[in-house]
Amino acid sequence: MKTYFYPNIEERKQLLLRPAFDTSLLQEKVKTVLNEVKLNGDTAVKKFTQEFDGVSLNDFSVSEKEIREAAALLSNELKQAIQQAEKNITTFHKQQISNVEVIETMPGVKCWRKSIGIEKVGLYIPGGTAPLFSTILMLGIPAQIAGCKEIILCTPPDKNGKLHPAILFAAQLVGITKVFKIGGVQAIAAMAFGTATVPKVYKIFGPGNQYVTCAKQLIQQDGIAIDMPAGPSEVCVLADDSAVAGFIAADLLSQAEHGVDSQVLLVTCSETLVKSVEGELKKQLESLPRKNIAQKALENSKSIVVKNIDEAIELVNEYAAEHLIISCKDDEAIAEKIVNAGSIFLGNYSPESVGDYASGTNHTLPTNGFAKAYSGVSVDSFVKKITYQKLTQQGLQNISKTVELMAEAEGLDAHKNAVSIRIKNL
Amino acid sequence: MKTYFYPNIEERKQLLLRPAFDTSLLQEKVKTVLNEVKLNGDTAVKKFTQEFDGVSLNDFSVSEKEIREAAALLSNELKQAIQQAEKNITTFHKQQISNVEVIETMPGVKCWRKSIGIEKVGLYIPGGTAPLFSTILMLGIPAQIAGCKEIILCTPPDKNGKLHPAILFAAQLVGITKVFKIGGVQAIAAMAFGTATVPKVYKIFGPGNQYVTCAKQLIQQDGIAIDMPAGPSEVCVLADDSAVAGFIAADLLSQAEHGVDSQVLLVTCSETLVKSVEGELKKQLESLPRKNIAQKALENSKSIVVKNIDEAIELVNEYAAEHLIISCKDDEAIAEKIVNAGSIFLGNYSPESVGDYASGTNHTLPTNGFAKAYSGVSVDSFVKKITYQKLTQQGLQNISKTVELMAEAEGLDAHKNAVSIRIKNL
């Protein structure tokens, strides 16, 4: 990690800049795949699966038998862990259901709002080195709670055309019944446009590489909603001398091991802490299986030493981290002053990894500074909120003058008439 | 309106298709304006204001004096109407604030979620034939309730470089202090990138023509959030013989007068009703100032007669209208079966125009079938929901095994370590 001491405002701005990824170069490639799947459906999906995943599949669907058998392939310990995580995530997300409350804004004018699950949603889970079954919990559980009727999952097959049993176990646990062995842009395209095998959905969720991210951006223009824009994963640790250097180093490394483009930031007023963390990083790094990835990510990472806690808070708010760990004596008071972050971890015993897996909060969070305007995934992400109104004759009478005057002033006489014709008829 | 009797499934699908707008043709033009404003700031804004709005402005800012003076230019009646609407909209939207509730998902594992207003938001109000001050209420009020700190407004100047006083009156009423006389793509660009005059915002709201819509789509790729994708305004009326033909005709016309591309749909099982509505439409159309617009919109509009109410509900759900009026005897029971709509109006005395202006619900709603996945604007649209967690030592102990096992199974050892190192230290 590089350390920056007491940067001024202009320097701080520079330090907080994320690396810019120009997706315009990918766009043409991604568009080609999207269009081909749109036109040729399963045939195109098959072709791209062969091309990109190196496996030829005649059927992308995972059978119910395969799903059932998955459970037998996992240790009981792991199954119990997944079930415990499922329980906690469910407990936390269930509280996000909103109740209908009828509000009489004027006598006889009743308005209310109701959340209804998006009928058809698609979840995408990337392949790669690790089977990200935890993300299935994070997306599938709120989808279930929201009442989505069709929840489908696409994830790339391995070279043998198989999926990891933990993926299938998590999928059945959260009630996903349709699982497809499709990855990358072709998976996003299949869910966005529908094929003979894959149903078309209304909203697509889940992480992915630059190609998948670009595909999700593009299909928005076809009216398909997505969870949020995405960038590399990030952690920012705000710490004072009450922090334990070894814990902080472990947290920074848990972010750094995600990928070489992971963003890791330490903000503190304590020069001593920075030094101790550096030492701990070196020590802990040695024993990590993903040492090479973590080391590369750390090379682009920053420790910033600032003058006082107010400056630190300002900096942290400007950065708008996906994950913010506050390891400070006054953690709760400081948290009150944070306005931009995806998820906040307080104190010495709340490492990011508990939120990544099992504490109950969602781990699908806004990266890349998007936390300034976006929230992480929640039950809200899987519902639409429809508003309703019902007026009595008296209610319409009470509000009629207001509506007529405003419609007239906007030059919309037919809007006015829709009220006047009813009033005349009373 | 064209009437279609008892279409089969395939025909129904065809009937419900929205006209496709290909924005790819606009994109190059829009990109040019976006890029020029990004590079040259106010100079570019000035140039495009001259070019597109035909007026040369040295200062885009509206002075506080101009805002104060606006009130004097409006009738007391209209001011009271706007104030009444403001009161109702505030009453309805205030209920959308969510309270913080701390949930202990496991002993010692506390998680919660807090809504925080997006710090900087930009509202866009189009110009054109009518001053759409009602939209300022619909966007400004939830922004205020959400606690957004900077709420700016852009709207195009008239040929004399002025804004309509009702725009300014509504803006000051809802606490917008920075108003800029900028329209079109240059307004979206100024708010997305910031200029010397216009502050950069994190999320942009508001309606607009195809160019504005395209600009909003494009700036999403720069990480600026937008309220929702947009298309022409729509109403669908679902009616039975308990409906009053004159009321329905008035509702259809109030949608048709918006623009020649407005979408108007009547769904019913009653052939008699369709005939009566046709007659009423002809009669009422005659006296409308915006007759030509409404007539053109009606030419592309459809009455669909179906066999029974279940078919009608299926059709209405498939269409996913921005506004759905249910003028049926069993309105509330039918509403329970609707899953896709922006806002629903129940019974004979709830015309769409009461919701457009003053009943309290929001009128910024998903068009073009987007109601399948998107909600209308609400306080939710102006906040981010941040999650928090704080574990006690015992809490971490309780959850440690679960997290360690899952992290290990995902091949993320540093994630596991972040827990293990703390446990060893207890």
Side-chain angles (χ1 to χ4, degrees):
Chain A
M1 287 180 92
K2 284 181 205 129
T3 306
Y4 300 84
F5 293 97
Y6 313 108
N8 64 30
I9 292 189
E10 213 32 66
E11 289 162 342
R12 288 206 295 268
K13 262 194 191 157
Q14 286 301 316
L15 287 178
L16 298 183
L17 285 182
R18 263 86 168 181
F21 296 98
D22 185 0
T23 57
S24 63
L25 299 168
L26 310 176
Q27 276 198 19
E28 288 315 307
K29 257 190 193 167
V30 172
K31 273 184 189 166
T32 309
V33 178
L34 290 174
N35 285 334
E36 221 174 307
V37 174
K38 194 176 183 176
L39 281 174
N40 301 327
D42 285 340
T43 314
V45 172
K46 193 176 163 168
K47 184 187 119 183
F48 291 120
T49 302
Q50 172 92 66
E51 191 175 330
F52 300 129
D53 298 311
V55 53
S56 176
L57 292 178
N58 284 318
D59 189 0
F60 310 109
S61 308
V62 174
S63 67
E64 282 192 32
K65 190 166 157 271
E66 280 178 277
I67 295 178
R68 271 196 315 274
E69 283 171 358
L73 299 169
L74 300 179
S75 72
N76 280 332
E77 259 192 328
L78 180 59
K79 278 186 280 191
Q80 277 159 16
I82 295 174
Q83 279 158 341
Q84 179 65 56
E86 192 264 348
K87 197 167 156 268
N88 292 354
I89 298 164
T90 302
T91 303
F92 184 67
H93 285 75
K94 267 208 170 150
Q95 297 293 329
Q96 295 166 0
I97 300 172
S98 38
N99 299 317
V100 176
E101 197 178 341
V102 179
I103 297 154
E104 198 161 2
T105 54
M106 283 177 97
V109 180
K110 285 188 179 159
C111 303
W112 64 99
R113 190 166 75 136
K114 196 167 92 176
S115 294
I116 295 180
I118 298 171
E119 277 182 289
K120 301 171 188 197
V121 296
L123 316 183
Y124 181 74
I125 305 293
T129 45
L132 299 178
F133 55 85
S134 61
T135 303
I136 297 178
L137 303 182
M138 294 295 177
L139 300 176
I141 292 169
Q144 276 293 345
I145 294 174
C148 300
K149 281 182 199 138
E150 183 148 62
I151 308 169
I152 70 171
L153 170 67
C154 282
T155 188
D158 65 17
K159 300 282 173 219
N160 305 313
K162 299 270 180 201
L163 299 181
H164 193 282
I167 294 268
L168 296 176
F169 178 73
Q172 63 78 27
L173 190 65
V174 300
I176 298 168
T177 41
K178 286 188 186 160
V179 182
F180 301 99
K181 299 170 189 171
I182 310 176
V185 176
Q186 60 273 27
I188 305 301
M191 294 193 281
F193 307 122
T195 72
T197 306
V198 183
K200 174 184 163 55
V201 301
Y202 303 145
K203 190 168 183 177
I204 295 176
F205 296 78
N209 61 18
Q210 284 186 39
Y211 291 91
V212 168
T213 300
C214 177
K216 282 171 67 187
Q217 262 178 12
L218 289 172
I219 52 124
Q220 281 190 285
Q221 292 177 22
D222 288 280
I224 313 299
I226 65 167
D227 46 359
M228 68 186 86
S233 193
E234 321 162 329
V235 72
C236 172
V237 178
L238 173 59
D240 65 13
D241 282 319
S242 74
V244 182
F247 298 179
I248 293 181
D251 292 336
L252 297 176
L253 285 170
S254 76
Q255 191 58 51
E257 76 170 342
H258 269 300
V260 293
D261 55 358
S262 281
Q263 302 290 302
V264 173
L265 191 66
L266 169 61
V267 180
T268 182
C269 309
S270 164
E271 296 187 19
T272 336
L273 184 73
V274 170
K275 272 197 199 120
S276 322
V277 170
E278 290 270 341
E280 280 289 336
L281 280 174
K282 263 190 207 136
K283 211 168 68 187
Q284 293 183 28
L285 193 58
E286 281 315 307
S287 58
L288 283 185
R290 292 166 74 94
K291 178 184 164 183
N292 289 340
I293 294 175
Q295 197 152 27
K296 275 236 172 86
L298 284 183
E299 280 165 20
N300 300 314
S301 297
K302 295 156 192 164
S303 297
I304 306 180
V305 182
V306 292
K307 278 188 218 118
N308 53 51
I309 187 68
D310 289 338
E311 218 171 66
I313 291 170
E314 199 190 312
L315 194 150
V316 164
N317 276 327
E318 179 55 31
Y319 185 64
E322 181 191 11
H323 306 97
L324 173 63
I325 299 177
I326 306 180
S327 276
C328 296
K329 215 174 144 220
D330 298 331
D331 53 357
E332 295 188 23
I334 291 168
E336 284 296 316
K337 294 180 183 165
I338 302 299
V339 292
N340 297 323
S343 194
I344 299 180
F345 300 76
L346 295 163
N348 279 330
Y349 297 96
S350 312
E352 187 203 308
S353 49
V354 300
D356 286 341
Y357 288 108
S359 63
T361 60
N362 208 290
H363 81 195
T364 308
L365 296 165
T367 55
N368 206 33
F370 297 137
K372 287 179 178 170
Y374 290 89
S375 312
V377 161
S378 70
V379 172
D380 302 346
S381 316
F382 291 91
V383 301
K384 308 131 337 165
K385 295 184 179 176
I386 303 181
T387 51
Y388 301 77
Q389 57 207 285
K390 187 166 188 176
L391 282 74
T392 61
Q393 294 192 12
Q394 187 56 48
L396 186 63
Q397 187 100 58
N398 293 340
I399 205 171
S400 59
K401 195 90 191 280
T402 296
V403 176
E404 287 171 335
L405 280 161
M406 289 176 75
E408 202 181 305
E410 286 196 352
L412 296 172
D413 286 66
H415 281 66
K416 181 183 171 186
N417 279 356
V419 172
S420 314
I421 194 173
R422 286 167 164 95
I423 295 292
K424 268 182 225 142
N425 214 55
L426 289 182
Chain B
M1 289 179 91
K2 282 180 208 131
T3 306
Y4 300 84
F5 293 97
Y6 313 108
N8 64 31
I9 291 188
E10 213 32 67
E11 289 162 342
R12 287 206 296 268
K13 263 195 189 155
Q14 286 301 315
L15 287 177
L16 298 183
L17 285 181
R18 263 83 167 185
F21 295 99
D22 185 1
T23 57
S24 63
L25 298 167
L26 310 175
Q27 276 198 19
E28 287 315 307
K29 258 191 190 166
V30 172
K31 274 184 188 166
T32 309
V33 177
L34 290 175
N35 285 334
E36 221 174 306
V37 174
K38 194 176 183 177
L39 282 174
N40 301 325
D42 285 342
T43 314
V45 173
K46 193 175 163 169
K47 184 188 120 183
F48 291 120
T49 303
Q50 174 93 63
E51 191 176 329
F52 299 129
D53 298 311
V55 54
S56 177
L57 292 178
N58 284 318
D59 189 0
F60 310 109
S61 308
V62 174
S63 68
E64 282 194 32
K65 190 165 158 273
E66 279 178 277
I67 295 178
R68 273 197 313 275
E69 284 171 358
L73 298 170
L74 300 179
S75 72
N76 280 331
E77 260 192 327
L78 180 59
K79 279 186 281 192
Q80 278 158 17
I82 295 174
Q83 279 157 342
Q84 179 65 55
E86 192 264 347
K87 197 165 156 268
N88 292 355
I89 298 164
T90 301
T91 303
F92 184 67
H93 285 75
K94 267 207 170 150
Q95 298 292 329
Q96 294 166 0
I97 301 173
S98 37
N99 299 316
V100 176
E101 197 178 340
V102 179
I103 298 154
E104 198 162 1
T105 54
M106 281 177 97
V109 180
K110 285 188 179 162
C111 304
W112 63 100
R113 191 166 74 136
K114 195 166 92 176
S115 294
I116 295 181
I118 297 171
E119 276 182 289
K120 301 171 187 199
V121 296
L123 316 182
Y124 181 74
I125 306 292
T129 44
L132 299 179
F133 55 85
S134 60
T135 303
I136 297 178
L137 303 182
M138 295 296 176
L139 298 177
I141 292 169
Q144 276 293 344
I145 293 173
C148 300
K149 283 183 197 135
E150 183 147 64
I151 308 168
I152 70 170
L153 171 68
C154 283
T155 187
D158 66 16
K159 299 281 172 219
N160 305 311
K162 300 269 182 201
L163 298 182
H164 193 282
I167 294 269
L168 296 177
F169 178 74
Q172 63 79 29
L173 190 65
V174 300
I176 298 168
T177 41
K178 287 188 184 159
V179 182
F180 302 100
K181 299 170 189 171
I182 310 176
V185 177
Q186 60 272 26
I188 304 302
M191 295 192 281
F193 307 122
T195 72
T197 306
V198 182
K200 173 183 164 55
V201 301
Y202 303 144
K203 190 168 183 177
I204 296 177
F205 295 79
N209 60 20
Q210 285 187 38
Y211 291 91
V212 168
T213 299
C214 177
K216 282 172 67 188
Q217 262 178 11
L218 289 172
I219 52 125
Q220 281 190 283
Q221 292 176 21
D222 288 278
I224 314 299
I226 65 167
D227 47 359
M228 70 186 86
S233 192
E234 322 161 328
V235 72
C236 173
V237 178
L238 173 59
D240 66 13
D241 282 318
S242 74
V244 182
F247 298 180
I248 292 180
D251 292 335
L252 298 176
L253 286 169
S254 75
Q255 191 57 52
E257 76 171 342
H258 269 300
V260 293
D261 56 358
S262 282
Q263 300 290 303
V264 173
L265 190 66
L266 171 60
V267 179
T268 182
C269 308
S270 164
E271 296 187 19
T272 336
L273 184 74
V274 170
K275 273 197 196 120
S276 322
V277 170
E278 291 269 339
E280 280 289 335
L281 279 173
K282 263 189 204 137
K283 213 168 69 186
Q284 293 182 29
L285 193 59
E286 281 314 308
S287 57
L288 283 185
R290 292 167 73 94
K291 178 183 162 182
N292 289 340
I293 293 174
Q295 198 151 28
K296 275 236 172 85
L298 284 183
E299 281 165 20
N300 299 315
S301 298
K302 295 156 193 162
S303 298
I304 306 179
V305 183
V306 291
K307 278 186 218 122
N308 53 51
I309 187 68
D310 290 336
E311 217 171 68
I313 290 170
E314 199 190 311
L315 194 149
V316 163
N317 276 328
E318 179 55 33
Y319 185 64
E322 181 190 12
H323 306 97
L324 172 64
I325 300 176
I326 306 179
S327 277
C328 296
K329 218 176 141 217
D330 297 330
D331 52 358
E332 297 188 23
I334 292 168
E336 284 295 317
K337 294 180 184 167
I338 302 298
V339 291
N340 296 323
S343 195
I344 299 179
F345 300 77
L346 295 163
N348 279 327
Y349 297 95
S350 311
E352 187 203 307
S353 48
V354 300
D356 287 341
Y357 288 108
S359 61
T361 59
N362 208 289
H363 80 196
T364 308
L365 295 165
T367 55
N368 206 33
F370 297 137
K372 287 179 179 170
Y374 290 89
S375 313
V377 162
S378 70
V379 171
D380 303 344
S381 317
F382 291 92
V383 300
K384 307 135 330 166
K385 296 184 180 176
I386 302 182
T387 50
Y388 301 76
Q389 57 207 284
K390 186 166 188 175
L391 281 72
T392 60
Q393 295 191 12
Q394 186 57 49
L396 187 63
Q397 186 99 61
N398 293 340
I399 206 171
S400 58
K401 194 88 191 281
T402 297
V403 176
E404 288 171 335
L405 280 162
M406 290 176 75
E408 202 182 305
E410 285 196 354
L412 297 172
D413 286 67
H415 280 67
K416 181 184 171 186
N417 280 355
V419 172
S420 314
I421 194 173
R422 286 168 164 95
I423 295 293
K424 270 182 225 141
N425 214 55
L426 287 184

